[in-house]
Amino acid sequence: FKRRWEIVKDFISVSPLKILEQSSRRGLGPGNLGVLIARAGVGKTACLIHIALDRIFRGEKLIHVSLEEGPEKVSAYYNVIYNDLLKALNRSDDDEYRMRIDRNRMILAYLNQSFDLDRLEANLKNLAERLDFRPNTLIIDGLDFEKAGRDTLEGLRKTGRTFGAEIWFSALSHRHITETNERGIPHPCAAIDDLLSIIIQLVPEPSGIFLRLLKDHDKPGDPNINVRLDPNTFLALE
């Protein structure tokens, strides 16, 4: 246990989730939806994988739902991020960490627009009944927020509540769409921000990539709360 807590402590010090240490509830929570908004290529998937590793190293179970890549590619990406993490923490590889990733993570891929709520719920039920695998966190990477609409998000929130899991998404924004709603939430989450408990934006700047907390449960995000990430590893700096 002591060793596990050491890696967790080390990881928290460089995790992008550091941004939530300063938030009101210090996390998302079961049955709630959180989203990372960024333009293409800024690092949404890498940040989602950091969220995943944070949960896994805390001993929680996680399902990574990919709508764009097959399981092998997702798994390879975890390996890259994990190796970057070891390097940043100056730690050597350890079978225990890899075993924990393999044991506490499942990857589900729904390619060619085959994703729907009924299918996801059937898979979650199946994993619970057959393998006794009940996730604390779902990561859904690649959901098209422009097409998904309110019904899908409401359905996913209900799924999270039914299965007792928090759900994190990535959402693609565009350089040419700069409007925000009256609460400062940008496209493509402006019309459904009431369904999202935490909204984080990844903003590329010359000195690095910044995470900004735009919504913190029932409060607007504090503009002073931001975390700078290394643009190569997406680990928190300073």
Side-chain angles (χ1 to χ4, degrees):
F1 178 81
K2 189 166 174 245
R3 271 187 82 235
R4 187 175 91 192
W5 181 238
E6 275 171 16
I7 178 80
V8 170
K9 228 163 52 180
D10 281 359
F11 181 58
I12 290 168
S13 70
V14 292
S15 167
L17 274 191
K18 253 172 77 164
I19 193 161
L20 297 185
E21 285 178 14
Q22 305 164 69
S23 79
S24 60
R25 301 190 201 171
R26 300 173 73 87
L28 183 53
N32 292 328
L33 308 181
V35 66
L36 296 171
I37 305 175
R39 299 201 308 258
V42 171
K44 294 184 295 297
T45 300
C47 283
L48 285 177
I49 290 175
H50 280 306
I51 290 172
L53 292 175
D54 177 273
R55 294 297 179 253
I56 289 164
F57 288 144
R58 288 173 191 268
E60 296 182 8
K61 287 189 161 61
L62 173 126
I63 291 178
H64 187 115
V65 177
S66 174
L67 309 192
E68 292 173 336
E69 307 286 2
E72 298 78 16
K73 199 153 183 198
V74 174
S75 185
Y77 205 4
Y78 269 83
N79 287 336
V80 169
I81 300 275
Y82 170 70
N83 288 326
D84 282 344
L85 177 62
L86 290 177
K87 226 177 284 176
L89 296 176
N90 218 347
R91 281 181 174 268
S92 52
D93 197 358
D94 188 314
D95 287 344
E96 193 202 326
Y97 305 147
R98 287 199 183 267
M99 263 170 55
R100 183 167 290 136
I101 293 169
D102 291 339
R103 206 173 42 228
N104 289 359
R105 178 205 65 195
M106 292 268 178
I107 298 170
L108 299 177
Y110 300 89
L111 305 179
N112 307 317
Q113 294 166 336
S114 61
F115 176 74
D116 69 53
L117 268 173
D118 292 343
R119 213 174 147 202
L120 176 65
E121 288 205 355
N123 286 149
L124 292 175
K125 217 169 151 208
N126 218 348
L127 287 169
E129 287 168 4
R130 293 194 177 176
L131 299 175
D132 199 26
F133 192 95
R134 294 173 174 81
N136 307 89
T137 302
L138 287 181
I139 279 180
I140 300 180
D141 191 17
L143 185 73
D144 186 339
F145 270 68
E146 290 176 331
K147 289 183 184 155
R150 178 169 283 274
D151 289 353
T152 302
L153 269 294
E154 280 175 349
L156 283 163
R157 189 166 67 168
K158 201 166 153 222
T159 300
R161 287 177 179 171
T162 302
F163 289 90
E166 62 179 35
I167 305 181
W168 283 96
F169 303 90
S170 56
L172 179 66
S173 61
H174 301 289
R175 194 187 291 268
H176 62 280
I177 306 176
T178 54
E179 303 84 31
T180 62
N181 66 17
E182 63 275 20
R183 291 170 297 284
I185 307 301
H187 177 87
C189 298
I192 41 93
D193 62 325
D194 56 306
L195 300 175
L196 303 165
S197 297
I198 287 181
I199 302 174
I200 297 171
Q201 187 174 25
L202 280 74
V203 184
E205 289 185 3
S207 57
I209 291 167
F210 285 82
L211 290 185
R212 303 246 158 86
L213 187 59
L214 302 184
K215 184 183 180 188
D216 177 13
H217 292 279
D218 42 7
K219 295 198 291 205
D222 181 341
N224 298 316
I225 295 179
N226 57 65
V227 169
R228 186 161 69 103
L229 303 183
D230 180 308
N232 298 312
T233 62
F234 301 96
L235 291 166
L237 296 167
E238 76 255 353

